[in-house]
Amino acid sequence: MKKIIPAFFLWSIAAIAPAVTIVKSGDFATVTQPENGFISDAAGSNFTAAQFTVTDFVLIEELVFEGHYLFSTPEVPIVDVDDFTVGFFPNGTGAPIDPFNPAPVTPEIILQVITPLRTDTGINVSSAFSDPYDIYRYEALLPVPVALVPGTYWVAIANDTSSFGDFVNWTWNFQPGASLNGINTSGANIQGPYFNFGFGTPIYELEGSIIPEPSIGLLALVGAIAAFGRRRRSVQA
């Protein structure tokens, strides 16, 4: 099973690596009008995750995504404070293999509270409820960068609008079309279990650094230094 590895192994290398887009699931609203969204809000006990794959050793440092506030007053700017949580977990631990047989939650998931910069895009989403909800763009630096080895993973993003008042649910925008990327759960928390929702792809980007074989190179360097130290002590003895 692919593992999430400790970020401190990569920080020293990532400091000199250029920032790049690691994952881009689709176009943001300024390019393609989203169809609607998946509710992902602790206030509604509904959570959403998306699958992605990396082919390199990477360090995820920033998250960019878009969403809107379902049942908020149309055309009225949101002034309440968001309370977002993001989770990263390997495929098969909190995500489905069989949509009717959700996998159990395991300690593999990494959860972080994020405070994104929220910007009104000036674009509205048409919803099943016929209200033109404002689309917001969110940009957040992760408190602790997440290091991943090549493999398939899931990212879950959820807000908690309990303090907003009224019946408001944050909704993660998606692009239309059949996809296994968008999954959803109704449960106690962001950790699942999840099941296959069957359509649409939540829109997001993961930004960070690509690290060429970081753990191998770093461990080889540490090993060489340790071996040199042992030889030096042996000569002195």
Side-chain angles (χ1 to χ4, degrees), residues 6-38:
F8 63 84
F9 282 116
L10 307 184
W11 283 343
S12 59
I13 302 176
I16 59 175
V20 297
T21 298
I22 305 297
V23 176
K24 179 179 174 65
S25 70
D27 293 328
F28 288 116
T30 53
V31 177
T32 303
Q33 176 77 13
E35 180 176 291
N36 207 313
F38 300 113

Side-chain angles (χ1 to χ4, degrees), residues 23 34 36 43 110 163 185 200 210:
V23 176
N36 207 313
I110 291 180
S163 64
T185 182
I210 297 176

Side-chain angles (χ1 to χ4, degrees), residues 122-179:
I123 301 172
N124 295 333
V125 62
S126 58
S127 77
F129 300 94
S130 302
D131 288 322
Y133 298 110
D134 293 344
I135 296 174
Y136 291 85
R137 181 184 176 94
Y138 307 84
E139 300 177 59
L141 291 174
L142 296 179
V144 179
V146 174
L148 304 176
V149 302
T152 300
Y153 300 89
W154 295 80
V155 57
I157 304 172
N159 203 350
D160 186 350
T161 59
S162 299
S163 64
F164 279 40
D166 298 325
F167 184 66
V168 175
N169 282 157
W170 184 78
T171 304
W172 189 357
N173 282 359
F174 72 83
Q175 297 294 355
S179 173

Side-chain angles (χ1 to χ4, degrees), residues 97-133:
I97 299 299
D98 180 340
F100 301 103
N101 183 26
V105 175
T106 78
E108 289 291 334
I109 191 168
I110 291 180
L111 297 177
Q112 297 187 30
V113 175
I114 57 174
T115 306
L117 173 66
R118 180 179 66 199
T119 305
D120 192 332
T121 64
I123 301 172
N124 295 333
V125 62
S126 58
S127 77
F129 300 94
S130 302
D131 288 322
Y133 298 110

Side-chain angles (χ1 to χ4, degrees), residues 2-10 22-23 52-61 87-91 108-110 142 145-155 206-207 209-215:
K2 302 300 182 182
K3 298 292 184 180
I4 297 176
I5 59 178
F8 63 84
F9 282 116
L10 307 184
I22 305 297
V23 176
F52 67 94
T53 298
V54 293
T55 57
D56 300 288
F57 288 83
V58 299
L59 191 65
I60 307 299
E61 301 168 277
F88 291 89
F89 45 99
N91 188 49
E108 289 291 334
I109 191 168
I110 291 180
L142 296 179
V146 174
L148 304 176
V149 302
T152 300
Y153 300 89
W154 295 80
V155 57
L206 301 178
E207 309 284 344
S209 305
I210 297 176
I211 312 299
E213 300 294 338
S215 57

